[in-house]
Every structure is written in C-alpha cells, then in structure tokens.
Amino acid sequence: MKIIFTTQLPHEGFQLLSNTPGVQLIMPEQERLDIPSFIQSAHTDAEILVATFDYTVSKELIDSMPNLQLITNFGVGYNNIDLDACRARGIRVTNTPQPVIEPTAELAFALMIDIARRVSEFDRKIRGIGPQTEPLRFGVMQNLSHSLYGKTLGIIGMGRIGLSLARRALASGMKVIYHNRKPYRTGEALQDAELQNGDKRLQDGQSPTVESTQYVDFQTLLQDSDFVSLNLPYTPESHHIIGKPELGMMKRSAYLINTARGAHIDEKALVEALQSGIIAGAAMDVYEHEPEINPELLTLNNVVLSPHTGTGTWEGRIAMCENVAENILAFIHNEIDKMNIVL
C-alpha cells in the first residue's frame, strides 16, 4: 500500500508504519508536495494521503489519485480538505484530535498571560524594537499590567481543548464560563474529553472541570468575560462569529484570545476595536487570511501574535505522527472503530 505525504514530517513518528510489510511511505523531496509535479509523477496510484492542516487538499489533487481511499489529516481541523470531493468518491477522512489538546490549551493560556502581563510588549521595549509609544522607565508605578487571578474566562467552544484550558484557568484562580451549542448536563460522561486526557478524577461520569464552570448564553459570555477564548471548530456558521457587534458587547478591559481558526474573527473589525479602545487587547495564533497577516496588527502594542504554533511542540508533533500512523493501521486492518473518522 502506497502512502503519500503532502509535507515532510518526522520519520520517528511513523515507525509502526515503516515496520509494516507491504507499506511504502513517500514524503516530498522538498518541504511540501508540489501538485503539478506530483500529478506528472508515478505516485498518483497511492491509496492513502497524509495531509497537514496547513496544506490545501483540493479537488484537483483528489481527482489525480484514482486509487485514493483514505485522507488522514495531521491536525484536528480539516477545513483544508475538499470534503465534497471526498464524499463523492467515498473517501474516508480522519484527523488527530487527541495529541493537539494539551499543546493548544497550553499556548492559549500562555497568550492570556502574555497579553495581560504585557510580556512581549515589555520585551520589545527593553530591546528597543517594534512600535514605541513612550520610552521605557523603571519605577514602582511604571509598567503596570493585569492579573489573571480572580478574573473571568469565557470559553466559546468547550470541547477537548476548551476543557483543558478551563482546567488551567481554574487552577490559577479564575472563574470560567462557557458557551456551546448546548450545555453539558450535570453528571454527563466526558471520558473522550477528559478521562483519555489524563484526568483521573473523573468518576461516575462526572467531570470535575465542567462541574466547576458555568454555561451561559453567547451574549452573556461576551459581556461578563475578562478574557474571551475561541476554541471551536471552523464551520460556515462560525465564520466571523466575532465581528463589530460582538466586540462592542465585550468589556473595554477585555482581551480576545484565538487559537482556533482565523476566520472566526472579522480582523478589520478587530483592528478598529483595538485602535479605538473598544477592547483592551488580543492575542492570536491564527489569522483570517493566513499566512498573510493584517499589517495593521503589526503596528499595535496591545496585540500578541504567534505563527499558528498551537500544536507546535516536538512532543506534540511526534504524537500527531503516531496518531496518523494509528489511523492508517486501523484502516489497513479494517478496524474502523479505532479510527478518528470525520467523514
């Protein structure tokens, strides 16, 4: 069975596959697969495609692979894949939800601390780089910032990553409210979200994290939160879920955190809100027109920017590779119940 990769990935994460008889792993010679060259190659007969979350799997690419049976996405999001083309061909699609949980929640929490305590801003000022609105001075009442302790975190999208972020916030003395399409029921089993994530306190189907949080409607979350974190998957319905009206509902002292998908936010409206003081600041790991970044964001001191690296740890990358390998092996052995199927 031939497996094509869209992007070079660590070989050590695919040892299970490498040791499987009859399996051929083909990674691109350069960092990323060049579609025109690939279409002219002898590898279009591959049965499996491993795609990274930042690589567009177009109908053109899918149509060029007549034997394609499985696309396994390296990442939890899969809006990079033309699902309609897959659906028309009956091609399975999987993702890697488990390994991304802790690294992404970790970065979201780091961005919260960074923007509130002005870590990156002060670093730039000390180095004398970036926008300088005033000279740096040392002093008791200089360089003040805001604490997370005692503040309210509002999580939009309380899934696996949201739960992991909530756990960190609660441990730091924050109040956590959340909004989903529907609230968790008291005592609802959350094994997939927490027990598999290493939370051994889960007993009798109850979640200690969820039981310590409060479900609120969307407008209440925006109005009451000191930090608003986006942790929901991207769908057409969630496009620009944060725009000018929503930003206007937030506290002027509030911070917006986005480690989910850039198109959740209307960046033009966000820039205007940051410039005019509608909200206090924003910290972002994803962008509306990624990899292009709105140049106006680069001029603002009340913004922290990260290059879509929520899952970007060595440990996380290896774990994601291993999860991809597990999905493929389950597919090969027809163990469908062991696959992370999204289509």
Side-chain angles (χ1 to χ4, degrees):
M1 184 165 284
K2 186 180 291 187
I3 302 172
I4 295 291
F5 290 73
T6 66
T7 309
Q8 288 182 354
L9 294 171
H11 286 274
E12 56 264 43
F14 296 98
Q15 290 180 352
L16 282 173
L17 281 176
S18 300
N19 297 330
T20 302
V23 170
Q24 182 182 7
L25 307 182
I26 303 173
M27 291 197 187
E29 295 181 2
Q30 305 299 321
E31 182 183 1
R32 293 162 67 85
L33 185 70
D34 178 69
I35 293 179
S37 299
F38 170 72
I39 291 175
Q40 300 300 319
S41 75
H43 299 311
T44 55
D45 60 343
E47 294 91 347
I48 296 174
L49 177 68
V50 176
T52 51
F53 57 81
D54 63 342
Y55 191 97
T56 299
V57 180
S58 62
K59 186 177 186 299
E60 177 191 15
L61 177 57
I62 293 169
D63 287 347
S64 73
M65 303 178 69
N67 299 331
L68 186 61
Q69 301 174 38
L70 171 68
I71 299 175
T72 179
N73 213 39
F74 182 88
V76 64
Y78 44 89
N79 58 310
N80 58 306
I81 299 172
D82 189 328
L83 295 181
D84 289 336
C86 293
R87 195 175 289 111
R89 290 263 304 275
I91 297 168
R92 291 274 193 186
V93 178
T94 64
N95 65 347
T96 58
Q98 203 63 33
V100 308
I101 298 171
E102 294 302 325
T104 306
E106 192 173 77
L107 181 66
F109 197 62
L111 290 174
M112 287 170 57
I113 295 173
D114 193 324
I115 190 64
R117 295 306 309 268
R118 302 171 64 188
V119 177
S120 293
E121 179 189 350
F122 291 151
D123 179 78
R124 290 192 300 270
K125 286 187 174 183
I126 288 176
R127 296 172 187 272
I129 59 177
Q132 299 290 326
T133 55
E134 57 186 32
L136 181 71
R137 293 165 49 197
F138 285 78
V140 174
M141 297 304 295
Q142 302 296 322
N143 309 314
L144 301 184
S145 58
H146 292 283
S147 176
L148 273 64
Y149 181 82
K151 299 298 195 310
T152 296
L153 167 63
I155 296 176
I156 301 175
M158 187 76 128
R160 297 179 181 92
I161 296 170
L163 282 163
S164 187
L165 175 60
R167 194 174 70 245
R168 288 167 167 79
L170 290 167
S172 296
M174 301 185 76
K175 175 184 176 181
V176 178
I177 59 179
Y178 74 94
H179 179 76
N180 282 352
R181 282 176 289 185
K182 61 179 182 177
Y184 288 115
R185 298 185 301 272
T186 301
E188 181 176 14
L190 293 170
Q191 283 86 353
D192 189 40
E194 284 198 283
L195 186 57
Q196 292 182 12
N197 200 28
D199 194 332
K200 304 305 182 184
R201 299 171 298 162
L202 188 66
Q203 296 177 353
D204 302 324
Q206 291 191 340
S207 159
T209 300
V210 169
E211 298 300 326
S212 300
T213 66
Q214 178 186 359
Y215 173 85
V216 297
D217 62 65
F218 185 60
Q219 183 172 332
T220 298
L221 183 143
L222 293 175
Q223 292 172 338
D224 291 357
S225 298
D226 299 297
F227 297 82
V228 173
S229 178
L230 302 179
N231 299 100
L232 69 167
Y234 180 78
T235 65
E237 293 74 27
S238 67
H239 184 80
H240 285 186
I241 192 172
I242 300 294
K244 185 174 182 178
E246 292 75 24
L247 291 163
M249 295 179 195
M250 294 171 62
K251 297 179 181 180
R252 296 183 72 87
S253 59
Y255 300 98
L256 179 63
I257 314 296
N258 190 11
T259 54
R261 285 294 182 265
H264 287 324
I265 298 176
D266 179 346
E267 282 188 5
K268 182 175 183 295
L270 175 62
V271 167
E272 292 174 357
L274 292 167
Q275 290 173 335
S276 59
I278 298 299
I279 63 172
M284 307 161 66
D285 185 48
V286 289
Y287 307 93
E288 185 173 4
H289 302 293
E290 197 171 307
E292 286 78 27
I293 298 176
N294 187 323
E296 292 185 275
L297 290 172
L298 306 178
T299 68
L300 300 173
N301 261 327
N302 56 344
V303 176
V304 173
L305 306 174
S306 177
H308 200 156
T309 187
T311 61
T313 66
W314 283 107
E315 298 85 354
R317 288 290 183 257
I318 297 300
M320 290 169 72
C321 290
E322 291 172 346
N323 198 177
V324 166
E326 290 164 357
N327 278 323
I328 293 173
L329 287 172
F331 178 79
I332 291 172
H333 297 135
N334 199 31
E335 296 174 331
I336 305 301
D337 60 320
K338 294 183 180 181
M339 298 168 64
N340 301 117
I341 296 175
V342 297
L343 180 67

